Amino acid sequence: MISQDTIKEAVYELYKEAVINLSEDMKKSLEDALKNETHELGKLNIEAILKNIEIAEEKGIPMCQDTGLPVIFVKFGNVEVENLRKGIEEGIIKATKEIPIRPNIVDPITRENTNINVGTAIPPIDIELIDEDYLEITILPKGFGSENNNALKMALPAEGIEGIKKFVVESVLKAKGKPCPPTVVGVGIGGTSDLALKLGKKALLGEIGKRNPDPTIANLEKEIMDEINASGIGPMGLGGKTTTLDVKILKAHTHTAGLPVGVCIQCWANRHATTKIYD
């Protein structure tokens, strides 16, 4: 059996890894953006972001003061687990105290802070059942400068691909510099309203620069990215060629009468970390 304490330690290490070390695909995409940038302010901002990442790794401190709301994705295989939620919560509490990370979680009405980054229904835990002999845990610390600019549209089926593209592009351009671009844009298509947004968030976990295996979706990702980058909003909203580093799309089947589209915007600190645990 995978113990509660094993879960706790795994989540603590994942949170620490995610908030301090940006993934190699993200760093490469930023380095490539710098090489491609011709706008002086755009160059300056990407250079500052890359320096920020370097200092965070060298000093072992979070790369951004907004260490996010912890979103958890679990792939649950053929294993026995002791107190999964409790272990996850304890790992987050330990990370808050020991890394340390900023306590962000508050009551939505009173605004009283829990001071432990755990609260009612927080962290949200998405569980996917898999036919494997392990438990996989992913943490996505989601900052709210970007989260506040997410969008949902219950589009009509007749709007089709062009309607999807128009809505995603308009949502990102409306956000301008608020999500701290260059961003990564996750898009969920189909399902229900809540599933579309969840798919958009899950899409952020995909490898940057790797296209969807469905050629129609892959083409849509590229078209949306090209339109967003043609806007000139640029890094930190101060001008430049790179407003988004990538657009990632996931889809689900949906009702014949609907076309839900969820847009989940992520800042340049597209932080996440994953581990597999065997019993």
Side-chain angles (χ1 to χ4, degrees):
M1 177 180 287
I2 299 172
S3 70
Q4 178 179 324
D5 195 57
T6 297
I7 300 294
K8 170 186 172 181
E9 293 303 318
V11 170
Y12 164 72
E13 293 295 339
L14 285 174
Y15 216 148
K16 187 175 182 180
E17 172 67 21
V19 298
I20 293 173
N21 299 300
L22 199 61
S23 63
E24 291 302 317
D25 59 323
M26 278 298 300
K27 285 191 283 188
K28 184 180 184 302
S29 68
L30 285 163
E31 289 163 356
D32 290 345
L34 179 60
K35 292 174 187 175
N36 189 49
E37 187 57 72
T38 55
H39 191 282
E40 286 306 313
L41 266 180
K43 283 184 179 180
L44 187 65
N45 278 302
I46 297 174
E47 286 171 351
I49 289 169
L50 288 167
K51 184 64 177 176
N52 184 92
I53 293 166
E54 181 185 336
I55 291 171
E57 291 180 354
E58 286 178 355
K59 294 186 177 294
I61 56 176
M63 68 187 79
C64 179
Q65 51 86 24
D66 182 357
T67 45
L69 181 152
V71 178
I72 307 291
F73 295 96
V74 174
K75 292 184 179 180
F76 204 122
N78 304 313
V79 293
E80 290 186 54
V81 181
E82 177 190 26
N83 297 334
L84 178 62
R85 171 167 281 280
K86 190 66 175 176
I88 290 171
E89 289 176 350
E90 288 181 349
I92 292 169
I93 292 168
K94 180 179 179 181
T96 302
K97 294 176 180 177
E98 296 186 14
I99 294 175
I101 55 178
R102 190 178 74 182
N104 290 322
I105 306 308
V106 302
D107 182 285
I109 306 301
T110 67
R111 312 310 293 181
E112 182 179 354
N113 199 310
T114 68
N115 291 312
I116 54 174
N117 280 314
V118 168
T120 304
I122 299 297
I125 302 173
D126 177 77
I127 296 180
E128 176 185 348
L129 301 179
I130 59 171
D131 190 17
E132 302 287 350
D133 295 325
Y134 59 78
L135 181 77
E136 181 180 289
I137 303 176
T138 298
I139 187 164
L140 172 73
K142 190 66 172 67
F144 262 58
S146 56
E147 185 76 2
N148 284 338
N149 292 281
N150 291 353
L152 171 70
K153 182 175 184 179
M154 301 303 289
L156 298 175
E159 295 180 63
I161 285 182
E162 286 305 312
I164 293 169
K165 181 164 61 174
K166 181 181 179 183
F167 174 64
V168 177
V169 172
E170 286 179 349
S171 297
V172 178
L173 299 192
K174 181 181 177 182
K176 297 183 179 178
K178 289 183 285 186
C180 295
T183 59
V184 178
V185 180
V187 181
I189 302 172
T192 54
S193 57
D194 54 328
L195 180 55
L197 283 167
K198 183 182 288 185
L199 288 172
K201 191 165 267 99
K202 189 175 282 189
L204 298 173
L205 305 176
E207 182 181 340
I208 302 305
K210 185 176 181 180
R211 294 273 68 86
N212 193 293
D214 181 331
T216 300
I217 298 298
N219 187 59
L220 182 58
E221 289 174 335
K222 187 177 185 306
E223 287 183 358
I224 291 172
M225 183 168 66
D226 288 346
E227 283 199 33
I228 292 170
N229 285 334
S231 69
I233 290 171
M236 305 309 289
L238 297 174
K241 297 171 69 174
T242 310
T243 302
T244 189
L245 298 166
D246 207 354
V247 174
K248 313 292 290 182
I249 298 176
L250 291 177
K251 68 175 182 177
H253 281 78
T254 191
H255 191 282
T256 185
L259 180 59
V261 184
V263 179
C264 187
I265 303 176
Q266 178 67 300
C267 64
W268 63 261
N270 183 26
R271 304 159 291 182
H272 49 85
T274 301
T275 192
K276 292 179 182 177
I277 306 172
Y278 296 81
D279 63 4

